[in-house]
Amino acid sequence: MKIQSIKGTRDIFGVNLKLKRFIESIFLDETSKFGFQEIETPLMEDVSLFKRSVGESSDIVQKEMFLINDDKDSITLRPEGTASVLRACIENSLFDKLPLKLSYFGPMFRKEKPQKGRYRQFYQCGVESFGEKTYGADLELFLLISNILKKLNITDYIIEINNIGTNDEREEYKKDLYAFFKQNEDSLSEESKKRLSSNVLRILDSKDQKDIDLCLKVPLIQNYIGLEQQNEFLKFQEMLLKLNIPFKINPFLVRGLDYYSDLVFEIIDTSNNLGSQTALGGGGRYDKLIEDFSNKKIPAIGFAFGVDRLMLCCKAPLTNNPIKISLNSTISDLIPIFLKTKNEFPENFFLDVNLNYNLSFKKMFQRADKISSDYVVIIGENEYQKNQFKIKNMKTGIETVVDISDYSDIGQLLLNFLKTT
Ligand code: AMP
């Protein structure tokens, strides 16, 4: 039987792995500049954590979690980061010192239908900012998002924003929305008919054309939000304009997770690099969630980028490949000297040591060519007798013979040679 990777998972290697690491380093650099500290949480959590935070009626809890078959089915691979970070903060008393700003980077697992930009094991990098209710904290996150995207040279994006009100306001809105959809039930898609009683808000971001047409006539959440909140939202938009952060209001944006309130947003790719999956990331405020878990009133806001999607859109050049020099000899005594030289050589070069001293010169060159060496050093019996080494520039084909009295000086001589060519 052929053993294959599990549906929706993929191997990441070569340039792709470099790209993922590059994104991780940019993310960690930029978040630490803003005072976020990294946290790592386990890949497994109690199922009830997500039922209580993300919500019983969310797609994640309803059908997307990878449950681990222990006795009670009570463990799951984590489908998202916020709930785990929150659990970790409560368990480790991290909320004793506020404000608190945390970041995370790692794999998440959701049983979704795999397609371009959508996997069953995918990576998210995100932040959570606890303890600040002002729109300054919201703005800080948007600035962070735009800085990270700029560093990754991702310019074709827009941040869609919406204000979904406080929990009470949203409950009022949901009642009216339910009544509207109930009256027009025949015009709803089959999927949305099911959502009518379980999660009426989700009908608003349905991709089905029938629902989209009907949604043009729905009551809007804006009309349910208090005046003070509306003014704050306007001020927030003015600041986004001043900071040149591209955004637009999407009154139908609700996000699929129960814990959000007030500001929600999604970072949308406009370059068509992602096919039908256009969201590079998303987030929002969740001011009530911590109270539900710990009785502490702590406002919070967070976002997560989908790293796999950033990888598909990132145009930033990866750091230049270092110059690669391949060391080869038919003299076995030289191999340990080569290895010592490699160990001490400056890190901006890549010194490759061919450990096989039994190869012919032809095979040594073929090997060096295969690994894309820029220079090849060869020391055969002839050179060894004469205290010399040969170095060939693989691009120009020029071969140079260099005198050397002690082979343990080869590192220094190579550096001198590279300086003069
Ligand atoms: P969410 O937690 O659903 O708001 O997701 C935040 C971001 O994670 C999304 O905007 C995507 O960029 C990314 N994401 C979510 N689900 C997947 C998936 N199955 N595969 C790849 N990326 C995903």
Side-chain angles (χ1 to χ4, degrees):
M1 195 184 78
K2 201 163 133 200
I3 300 179
Q4 286 182 314
S5 63
I6 291 169
K7 186 177 169 186
T9 67
R10 64 200 181 116
D11 304 306
I12 306 176
F13 53 91
V15 201
N16 259 342
L17 186 55
K18 272 196 183 155
L19 183 57
K20 179 165 161 277
R21 295 253 161 87
F22 174 70
I23 292 171
E24 183 173 6
S25 72
I26 294 287
F27 173 77
L28 292 178
D29 280 358
E30 293 303 309
T31 47
S32 80
K33 272 187 213 160
F34 277 76
F36 288 85
Q37 293 198 350
E38 204 185 355
I39 184 167
E40 264 189 35
T41 59
L43 299 194
M44 293 177 282
E45 294 279 1
D46 202 308
V47 170
S48 56
L49 174 67
F50 301 103
K51 285 190 177 163
R52 280 178 59 191
S53 54
V54 177
E56 293 269 6
S57 62
S58 63
D59 285 351
I60 287 182
V61 170
Q62 285 282 308
K63 53 184 183 195
E64 291 172 0
M65 286 196 295
F66 278 99
L67 300 177
I68 295 174
N69 277 333
D70 75 337
D71 287 349
K72 290 171 269 155
D73 259 359
S74 61
I75 300 176
T76 178
L77 291 179
R78 64 182 187 192
E80 61 106 51
T82 301
S84 303
V85 171
L86 186 60
R87 192 231 2 99
C89 287
I90 295 169
E91 210 167 320
N92 298 289
S93 308
L94 301 184
F95 288 144
D96 289 353
K97 281 191 189 152
L98 289 173
L100 175 71
K101 295 182 352 181
L102 296 174
S103 65
Y104 62 89
F105 189 109
M108 307 292 162
F109 306 85
R110 290 185 198 170
K111 214 180 282 169
E112 291 190 277
K113 207 167 158 211
Q115 53 180 271
K116 185 178 180 186
R118 197 207 268 167
Y119 311 99
R120 291 186 158 193
Q121 173 172 337
F122 60 100
Y123 292 80
Q124 279 189 341
C125 54
V127 302
E128 313 296 343
S129 171
F130 301 105
E132 304 276 16
K133 172 72 186 141
T134 65
Y135 67 87
D138 308 352
L139 216 50
E140 183 179 59
L141 255 56
F142 276 57
L143 208 53
L144 179 60
I145 289 169
S146 96
N147 286 359
I148 291 170
L149 292 175
K150 197 189 275 171
K151 284 273 159 71
L152 298 178
N153 207 2
I154 297 177
T155 46
D156 299 330
Y157 73 93
I158 190 146
I159 309 184
E160 293 189 354
I161 60 175
N162 194 18
N163 190 332
I164 56 170
T166 62
N167 287 11
D168 291 344
E169 287 162 351
R170 209 163 45 261
E171 284 314 309
E172 278 303 302
Y173 177 57
K174 271 160 110 176
K175 274 187 219 154
D176 289 359
L177 202 57
Y178 178 83
F180 171 85
F181 283 131
K182 193 75 194 157
Q183 260 175 13
N184 297 280
E185 199 169 347
D186 290 346
S187 313
L188 284 174
S189 68
E190 288 312 308
E191 184 66 27
S192 289
K193 275 181 194 156
K194 280 186 227 151
R195 284 191 168 141
L196 192 51
S197 46
S198 65
N199 198 342
V200 68
L201 279 178
R202 288 300 310 280
I203 299 177
L204 292 179
D205 64 10
S206 160
K207 302 283 176 285
D208 193 296
Q209 196 55 45
K210 273 177 98 176
D211 300 327
I212 293 175
D213 292 343
L214 186 60
C215 282
L216 292 174
K217 300 176 209 143
V218 295
L220 293 179
I221 180 87
Q222 274 65 31
N223 304 325
Y224 295 72
I225 293 171
L227 209 58
E228 202 182 321
Q229 267 306 311
Q230 286 195 30
N231 282 335
E232 287 274 292
F233 193 44
L234 278 176
K235 277 194 237 158
F236 174 63
Q237 291 168 47
E238 274 169 30
M239 285 308 298
L240 290 181
L241 280 174
K242 280 194 187 142
L243 290 169
N244 277 330
I245 294 177
F247 75 95
K248 76 171 183 202
I249 296 175
N250 175 356
F252 302 120
L253 180 68
V254 291
R255 314 251 311 124
L257 296 74
D258 265 10
Y259 51 62
Y260 289 117
S261 59
D262 300 303
L263 176 69
V264 291
F265 55 93
E266 243 166 35
I267 306 137
I268 302 294
D269 167 68
T270 53
S271 72
N272 284 331
N273 278 326
L274 292 177
S276 61
Q277 301 302 308
T278 54
L280 282 170
R285 278 216 155 264
Y286 48 99
D287 291 337
K288 285 282 288 172
L289 184 64
I290 300 170
E291 202 179 341
D292 293 347
F293 275 86
S294 71
N295 291 327
K296 282 188 176 158
K297 278 194 178 155
I298 300 173
I301 180 165
F303 76 82
F305 273 124
V307 175
D308 310 78
R309 296 187 190 173
L310 292 178
M311 286 167 73
L312 288 166
C313 294
C314 174
K315 294 186 291 267
L318 293 177
T319 40
N320 286 338
N321 281 337
I323 293 178
K324 199 183 254 187
I325 307 148
S326 177
L327 301 183
N328 300 266
S329 179
T330 51
I331 315 292
S332 65
D333 284 356
L334 286 180
I335 305 293
I337 296 176
F338 284 173
L339 287 172
K340 186 164 179 286
T341 308
K342 175 185 171 71
N343 223 20
E344 293 159 358
F345 217 61
E347 277 175 16
N348 48 338
F349 293 95
F350 182 87
L351 217 53
D352 154 69
V353 177
N354 172 14
L355 300 173
N356 189 348
Y357 45 85
N358 289 320
L359 292 184
S360 66
F361 288 164
K362 192 176 164 199
K363 283 262 157 62
M364 284 180 178
F365 275 112
Q366 277 173 351
R367 180 189 163 280
D369 202 35
K370 231 186 227 166
I371 59 168
S372 314
S373 302
D374 300 294
Y375 292 91
V376 180
V377 170
I378 297 268
I379 305 170
E381 194 63 44
N382 200 10
E383 288 79 22
Y384 193 57
Q385 292 302 330
K386 292 190 195 156
N387 274 63
Q388 290 177 333
F389 67 86
K390 243 188 216 158
I391 180 161
K392 181 174 178 180
N393 181 329
M394 296 295 273
K395 227 180 253 151
T396 60
I398 296 173
E399 266 188 18
T400 314
V401 176
V402 181
D403 289 326
I404 181 164
S405 49
D406 183 347
Y407 279 104
S408 46
D409 294 337
I410 191 164
Q412 194 50 54
L413 287 180
L414 278 174
L415 287 173
N416 294 347
F417 173 83
L418 291 168
K419 246 187 246 161
T420 54
T421 50

